Amino acid sequence: MTNQSTSHGFCSSVASVSSSSPSSLPGPTPSPPTATETQSQPPTPPQSPTQAQSPTQLTAIPPLPPLGYSKRRSTVWEHFVEYDEVENIVKPDGTKETIIRRRARCKYCSTTFAANPSGNGTSTIRKHIEGGRCKSYPGKNLDKRQKTLSFDDGVGTLMARGNTKEDCIKALVQMVVLDELPFTHVEGRGFRFFCSVVCPHFYPPSRRTLARHFVLMYDEMKAKLKTELALHRVSLTTDTWTSIQKVNYMVITAHFIDSNWKLHKRILNFCVIANHKGNSIGKLLEVCLLEWGLENVLTITVDNASSNKVAVEYLKTKMCHWQNSRMILKGKHMHVRCCAHIVNLIVQDGLRTLDKSILAIRNALVYVTSSPQRVEAFRSCVKKEKIECKGLVFLDVPTRWNSTYLMLTNALKFEKAFVRMGDDEIAYLSWFGEDLPEEEERVGEPSNGKKRYGPPNMEDWSNAAIFVNFLKVFYQMTLKMSVTLHPACHSTFSDLLAIDEEIVDLFIEEDMLLTQTYTSLKLHEMARSMKVKFDKYWGDLVKVNPFLFVGLVLDPRYKLGYVPHILKRRGCSIDEAMAKKDEIKSLIFKLYDEYVPSSNQPSGSSASSCSNTTSTIGGANPTQHGRGKKRAEMDESWIKEVEASNAVLSNHEFDRYLLDRNEKVEVGQDFDILNWWKLNGVKYPVLALIAKEVLAIPVSTVASESAFSTGGRIVNSYRSSLTPLMVERLICTQNWLMSDNISILDDETILEDIEFYEALETDSTEISLYKLFRSFLSCLKSTLKSHFNQTFFNYPLTAISSSDYSYNDFGFCSRSSRGGNRNGRVKPRGSGNGSGRGGEGRKKPVEKSVDELDKELDSYHADNMQQG
């Protein structure tokens, strides 16, 4: 009872001491109370005079020290700085009081919060950091929730990933752009229901929010592409198109080869143009090039319209006056005609003579596809004839010859079905006897008593088969010229000459015309009209762009000697062929000078090598051999001239390229010319730069025309309210997202690898042999270990192992963190033979010379021979 009362008395005394004024207490002055203490303590009741005068019993005991702040345990405090906020207030009675409040300031946005340990928790500041309220927090986009295991498409490995809201919105924007969906798709009930099931924590944004994120994505991708294009010289294609809105658009596409020798195409602009005049096209091209900062333009490929020629000449003139213009040969060969467009014109002229047979087959297809009942009747005929074909017939576009070719190719498969239909279906035959309607008459059918021409007979089917075989060559050539992700510049001229020979083969001698059939005469007439059109564009070699010859020479299968060979085959004389060869060679040397400044030409090295060679051959003093001074000068000058010519022949890249053997490829076998230059470009560095830009020249405008197909799907009758600027962004962004990444390689690393491999081939020092021997034994160990008894590998490999490996009882090197037994199973660390990390049996690797390794190998083989 005494102790208990004493303790209560002590506590009450301490409470009374702590509650008394500081001036009435002896000892040091206590610190002022905190804000929380000031607010939580009740007001002290007024004391009577007797109580105030009665001394306390513990006046000699010093007061307790102020309570300190406990250490923060939550990790959220790492993002805040705590401090004391001092505030002086004046009470109603006139006395002053100092209040200290504990605060915490955010390290990123300077927002302050109450941080009293006893009165304030961490919920508010945690929401500020982890809830995304702090806009300056660098880790606000990091997902702190549980990750999801999924396979990475790029790497092919299982990864743990977490998606934030920003990632989901970015993926949603890409889905809308790639699939050509309207922005209102995200507000559809079905899409929102799908998101609520698949990803409940993600709420789809509105169409306006999605459009804003799309514009930001376009700006970021455009800035990145602009930086990447500044490192390349590009070739352009352009074309115009009129949308359903009756708005004229012009598309500009850039083509280039990256550092990894991969051909790329990028749509730069899909902008509105006022009209199709040449000056308007040229001015808009200039504006687009200035917007992208493109000064390295090699060629511009356009169709055969006269306005395009005016546009290219206008742009060439303006670019020549640009400051620091980087045009090649002053843009002399910038204009490239679309070869596919010219082939289309040639074939269209030829098909005008093939009217009756094609018209009869087309009318038969019109009858079959005109109603569901006729389609079913045709299918029954196909089943009766047992024709194995999943598809059915289709109509062509009369203005496109390739569409007519595909229609005839497909219709020939069902020839027997059409013949049976003529026997079984009375309505089929009567339909051809009806009067020709006015809408079908406008297609261009000949006047045949106002009756439909048909049905097709056996002669019509025979003519169609001959026409298809002839048009197949043109169709394949057009496909080769229309590629966009593979080079076609190096093979186009050969394809043009092949087309010319195909046309010539259809000609018939004049004295044989009277004895020919109707089909042969029609083919002769068709070939004559096609030959006239061919000679108009490509009959004279001057009309062919010289870069097509350069691309042919840069093909290692043909090189320069192939040019006179094919020209003589075409009918040119030897003088004309050799003159063209010299012209192309001179052009390549001019290109070489454009890519290599005159100060970097190999003439200096050639001169130095010539002088050294001359001093060796001529001797120390030419007069020692009894020759006169003038004669010695004559001989010395001749030797210098001969050596100089030989040195130039051997040191110039183009001459060395021509002297090397041509690549031998079987006829019909594919040849990857970009891969060849990727592997062999180090031997011809300047020619590799020329090849990288010449081989990227497109010979058709298909790359630009394909953008119109995308534009037709985006700007349709349901989305005609899109502004032209938004249409351009959608088409360009879709092209950029669907394209591969542009590779930028470090040339120094490639050169180091090549030097290392060349050193392995030519260097005979012990170091090179030692490296080669180490690689050989490493491959030998992994290959033969599973095929032979492991005692075969009793040879110690410590001589070729690095210090990062430990060794088991068979001498195999293994990772020092694990041990190994005879069967290749992992042993616990530090067990067995001491092969684990820190084991006593670990051997120190011994570096040995090649001679020592040879001696050990000889002794090893001798021991094996004694053991049988």
Side-chain angles (χ1 to χ4, degrees), residues 304-330:
N304 207 40
S306 58
S307 59
N308 289 326
K309 182 179 180 180
V310 177
V312 175
E313 292 296 330
Y314 173 87
L315 183 63
K316 185 193 307 181
T317 304
K318 295 299 181 181
M319 292 183 67
C320 288
H321 293 86
W322 285 358
Q323 188 177 4
N324 301 325
S325 178
R326 303 175 64 180
M327 297 182 64
I328 297 296
L329 302 178
K330 297 181 179 181

Side-chain angles (χ1 to χ4, degrees), residues 187-439:
E187 296 181 348
R189 294 179 58 185
F191 180 77
R192 291 186 178 273
F193 173 74
F194 174 78
C195 292
S196 65
V197 175
V198 177
C199 190
H201 67 275
F202 172 68
Y203 186 77
S206 64
R207 65 181 188 276
R208 297 181 182 273
T209 303
L210 190 70
R212 286 194 293 268
H213 281 82
F214 163 70
V215 173
L216 293 177
M217 176 186 290
Y218 169 80
D219 294 337
E220 293 176 0
M221 297 184 69
K222 183 177 180 179
K224 180 182 178 182
L225 180 60
K226 186 176 180 179
T227 304
E228 293 172 340
L229 290 179
L231 305 176
H232 301 86
R233 189 183 303 275
V234 300
S235 295
L236 303 178
T237 58
T238 181
D239 206 348
T240 55
W241 172 68
T242 302
S243 69
I244 194 175
Q245 303 167 313
K246 305 303 177 182
V247 178
N248 297 326
Y249 287 93
M250 187 180 76
V251 60
I252 303 175
T253 309
H255 305 258
F256 59 95
I257 298 175
D258 63 4
S259 300
N260 200 26
W261 287 90
K262 189 172 184 179
L263 184 59
H264 295 268
K265 68 168 185 177
R266 295 292 188 275
I267 298 178
L268 303 183
N269 291 93
F270 195 88
C271 46
V272 177
I273 185 171
N275 50 61
H276 294 174
K277 296 181 179 180
N279 288 333
S280 301
I281 296 175
K283 291 179 181 179
L284 189 56
L285 281 172
E286 182 185 10
V287 171
C288 293
L289 292 181
L290 292 175
E291 177 187 355
W292 284 89
L294 289 177
E295 299 179 355
N296 298 336
V297 178
L298 183 61
T299 60
I300 300 177
T301 304
V302 292
D303 59 21
N304 207 40
S306 58
S307 59
N308 289 326
K309 182 179 180 180
V310 177
V312 175
E313 292 296 330
Y314 173 87
L315 183 63
K316 185 193 307 181
T317 304
K318 295 299 181 181
M319 292 183 67
C320 288
H321 293 86
W322 285 358
Q323 188 177 4
N324 301 325
S325 178
R326 303 175 64 180
M327 297 182 64
I328 297 296
L329 302 178
K330 297 181 179 181
K332 183 179 180 180
H333 309 299
M334 177 179 284
H335 185 194
V336 178
R337 297 178 184 270
C338 176
C339 297
H341 183 258
I342 297 176
V343 172
N344 182 49
L345 295 178
I346 293 173
V347 178
Q348 285 289 357
D349 277 5
L351 288 180
R352 289 174 184 174
T353 61
L354 308 178
D355 46 4
K356 292 186 178 180
S357 298
I358 297 177
L359 184 57
I361 297 176
R362 182 184 291 124
N363 287 337
L365 298 179
V366 170
Y367 172 83
V368 169
T369 57
S370 59
S371 67
Q373 293 79 7
R374 293 173 180 177
V375 172
E376 290 297 328
F378 181 73
R379 285 180 177 175
S380 64
C381 294
V382 171
K383 292 181 180 179
K384 293 177 182 179
E385 293 295 335
K386 298 181 180 180
I387 299 175
E388 297 295 337
C389 186
K390 296 181 180 180
L392 285 178
V393 294
F394 54 86
L395 289 172
D396 66 332
V397 180
T399 57
R400 294 182 177 272
W401 72 268
N402 56 341
S403 176
T404 303
Y405 164 77
L406 295 175
M407 179 195 72
L408 294 177
T409 303
N410 186 64
L412 286 172
K413 301 176 183 179
F414 301 94
E415 177 184 354
K416 295 180 181 180
F418 279 101
V419 174
R420 175 175 284 272
M421 199 167 185
D423 298 335
D424 298 345
E425 296 290 333
I426 301 177
Y428 174 70
L429 297 177
S430 60
W431 183 80
F432 286 96
E434 298 176 358
D435 294 337
L436 183 67
E438 294 182 0
E439 58 271 13

Side-chain angles (χ1 to χ4, degrees), residues 461-478:
W461 290 110
S462 177
N463 293 340
I466 296 175
F467 299 155
V468 165
N469 291 333
F470 175 71
L471 294 178
K472 184 178 181 180
V473 178
F474 294 86
Y475 182 75
Q476 292 176 349
M477 296 299 179
T478 304

Side-chain angles (χ1 to χ4, degrees), residues 748-775:
E748 296 182 359
T749 305
I750 299 177
L751 292 177
E752 291 178 359
D753 295 340
I754 294 175
E755 291 175 358
F756 171 73
Y757 295 131
E758 289 179 350
L760 291 180
E761 296 177 359
T762 59
D763 194 1
S764 58
T765 59
E766 290 186 354
I767 297 177
S768 297
L769 291 175
Y770 177 67
K771 293 179 179 179
L772 186 61
F773 187 60
R774 288 181 59 182
S775 302

Side-chain angles (χ1 to χ4, degrees), residues 14 17-18 28-32 37 61-69:
V14 172
V17 171
S18 59
T29 304
S31 60
E37 294 172 351
I61 299 177
L64 293 175
L67 297 176
Y69 300 110

Side-chain angles (χ1 to χ4, degrees), residues 68-219:
Y69 300 110
S70 61
K71 184 178 180 181
R72 304 293 192 183
R73 296 186 180 93
S74 178
T75 57
V76 74
W77 291 107
E78 298 176 358
H79 305 282
F80 294 87
V81 178
E82 296 185 67
Y83 67 97
D84 292 331
E85 184 180 63
V86 181
E87 182 181 0
N88 297 319
I89 61 175
V90 180
K91 294 183 178 181
D93 57 356
T95 59
K96 297 182 179 180
E97 183 179 2
T98 300
I99 300 177
I100 300 178
R101 298 183 178 90
R102 194 67 172 173
R103 306 284 296 179
R105 180 186 295 109
C106 178
K107 294 182 179 179
Y108 312 108
C109 63
S110 301
T111 306
T112 61
F113 301 90
N116 187 15
S118 60
N120 304 110
T122 59
S123 300
T124 304
I125 60 177
R126 187 178 298 278
K127 291 179 181 179
H128 178 73
I129 294 296
E130 299 179 359
R133 298 179 181 178
C134 181
K135 303 301 181 182
S136 303
Y137 177 47
K140 63 178 181 179
N141 292 329
L142 297 179
D143 189 9
K144 301 298 183 180
R145 293 168 299 184
Q146 184 176 358
K147 301 293 190 293
T148 303
L149 292 177
S150 61
F151 282 96
D152 188 3
D153 296 335
V155 182
T157 58
L158 191 63
M159 299 180 60
R161 60 175 64 182
N163 297 324
T164 62
K165 183 179 180 181
E166 296 295 330
D167 296 334
C168 295
I169 294 179
K170 183 178 179 180
L172 184 58
V173 172
Q174 293 185 10
M175 182 196 74
V176 170
V177 174
L178 290 175
D179 295 341
E180 301 170 1
L181 300 173
F183 290 121
T184 56
H185 181 77
V186 298
E187 296 181 348
R189 294 179 58 185
F191 180 77
R192 291 186 178 273
F193 173 74
F194 174 78
C195 292
S196 65
V197 175
V198 177
C199 190
H201 67 275
F202 172 68
Y203 186 77
S206 64
R207 65 181 188 276
R208 297 181 182 273
T209 303
L210 190 70
R212 286 194 293 268
H213 281 82
F214 163 70
V215 173
L216 293 177
M217 176 186 290
Y218 169 80
D219 294 337

Side-chain angles (χ1 to χ4, degrees), residues 632-642:
E633 290 179 356
M634 293 173 59
D635 293 343
E636 185 175 0
S637 63
W638 170 246
I639 292 174
K640 288 182 178 180
E641 182 177 351
V642 172

